Amino acid sequence: TQLLEQSPQFLSIQEGENLTVYCNSSSVFSSLQWYRQEPGEGPVLLVTVVTGGEVKKLKRLTFQFGDARKDSSLHITAAQPGDTGLYLCAGQSNILGNQFYFGTGTSLTVIP
Amino acid sequence: KAGVTQTPRYLIKTRGQQVTLSCSPISGHRSVSWYQQTPGQGLQFLFEYFSETQRNKGNFPGRFSGRQFSNSRSEMNVSTLELGDSALYLCASTTGGYNEQFFGPGTRLTVL
């Protein structure tokens, strides 16, 4: 059983479309991170959110941490082929031993 | 600043053998975590080392072990390899606090 569930698992969209990826849990996290991973490479950190209700923007990417710090979302505006990759959320909690728990992943393909 | 490096990048072994993987963290980072990534299970936490001591451990059998040296470089060892150990093994380093992780490119292990 995964502590963090992501949806959707797979997403294939046309260039220019918008999309949202969700990361949900029944556990509370001290911080939550989003990563993008390309084939054959390690995950690359995109953002860290630590405050309930926090919203962070990174160009066309908007990240939100839920008020209760149990869930998060990633919204991409006007997706581009360069956004293609595996998106992973990861939560960290001192109650759960401080290790990072990774979500199930969302594989995004943006078609030119 | 150089990133996290992992060696080797690819490895092929047969069942019953043992393997040692190496990870050099970012200069100044004192914590190294190891993860196993498979298509079915996603990213699973193996263990974390900080200042040569294991600080956290995931739910993996004793065949998986690790250590960290005084220069923060880390190795993980898998003994008596099984087919199911085929995976991408990733290491990540942090400064030591429970914050942002920086991943290496991974070692792709194939067990035949």
Side-chain angles (χ1 to χ4, degrees):
Chain A
T1 304
Q2 293 279 10
L3 208 57
L4 283 162
E5 295 287 341
Q6 285 184 238
S7 62
Q9 187 177 358
F10 298 96
L11 195 53
S12 181
I13 61 172
Q14 294 289 329
E15 182 177 359
E17 293 184 353
N18 302 332
L19 67 115
T20 302
V21 177
Y22 299 93
C23 173
N24 295 300
S25 177
S26 58
S27 298
V28 176
F29 293 98
S30 306
S31 68
L32 196 136
Q33 302 176 348
W34 284 93
Y35 294 82
R36 180 171 66 220
Q37 184 179 21
E38 298 188 17
E41 299 296 329
V44 175
L45 180 67
L46 296 173
V47 77
T48 300
V49 286
V50 297
T51 305
E54 182 177 2
V55 177
K56 279 192 174 179
K57 291 192 175 183
L58 184 67
K59 296 183 180 178
R60 295 176 293 100
L61 278 60
T62 302
F63 305 86
Q64 184 163 8
F65 201 11
D67 291 341
R69 290 184 289 134
K70 293 182 179 181
D71 53 81
S72 181
S73 64
L74 157 61
H75 182 79
I76 300 179
T77 304
Q80 298 178 359
D83 296 327
T84 293
L86 178 68
Y87 288 81
L88 296 158
C89 63
Q92 180 268 325
S93 166
N94 52 9
I95 296 174
L96 298 171
N98 279 317
Q99 68 187 72
F100 286 90
Y101 292 88
F102 277 80
T104 46
T106 295
S107 179
L108 171 66
T109 301
V110 182
I111 303 166
Chain B
K1 188 184 262 190
V4 178
T5 58
Q6 291 187 247
T7 56
R9 291 293 309 273
Y10 302 92
L11 207 48
I12 299 175
K13 292 285 188 178
T14 56
R15 281 181 298 174
Q17 289 187 309
Q18 66 93 27
V19 66
T20 299
L21 311 181
S22 180
C23 172
S24 292
I26 292 172
S27 177
H29 284 194
R30 296 167 62 191
S31 166
V32 173
S33 295
W34 288 90
Y35 294 86
Q36 180 195 66
Q37 186 176 30
T38 59
Q41 298 296 318
L43 261 160
Q44 301 282 317
F45 173 75
L46 280 155
F47 29 65
E48 181 213 359
Y49 286 87
F50 176 75
S51 293
E52 302 179 65
T53 301
Q54 189 179 86
R55 186 160 69 171
N56 271 309
K57 187 178 187 303
N59 190 26
F60 276 80
R63 300 185 297 107
F64 292 82
S65 62
R67 59 177 176 169
Q68 186 179 33
F69 302 96
S70 58
N71 62 356
S72 293
R73 189 178 71 85
S74 178
E75 290 181 347
M76 69 162 281
N77 184 276
V78 188
S79 63
T80 319
L81 284 166
E82 301 176 359
L83 295 179
D85 296 334
S86 293
L88 181 67
Y89 289 89
L90 294 158
C91 83
S93 75
T94 73
T95 54
Y98 295 106
N99 47 19
E100 300 160 5
Q101 302 181 100
F102 296 87
F103 280 86
T107 294
R108 172 72 63 184
L109 171 65
T110 302
V111 181
L112 303 176

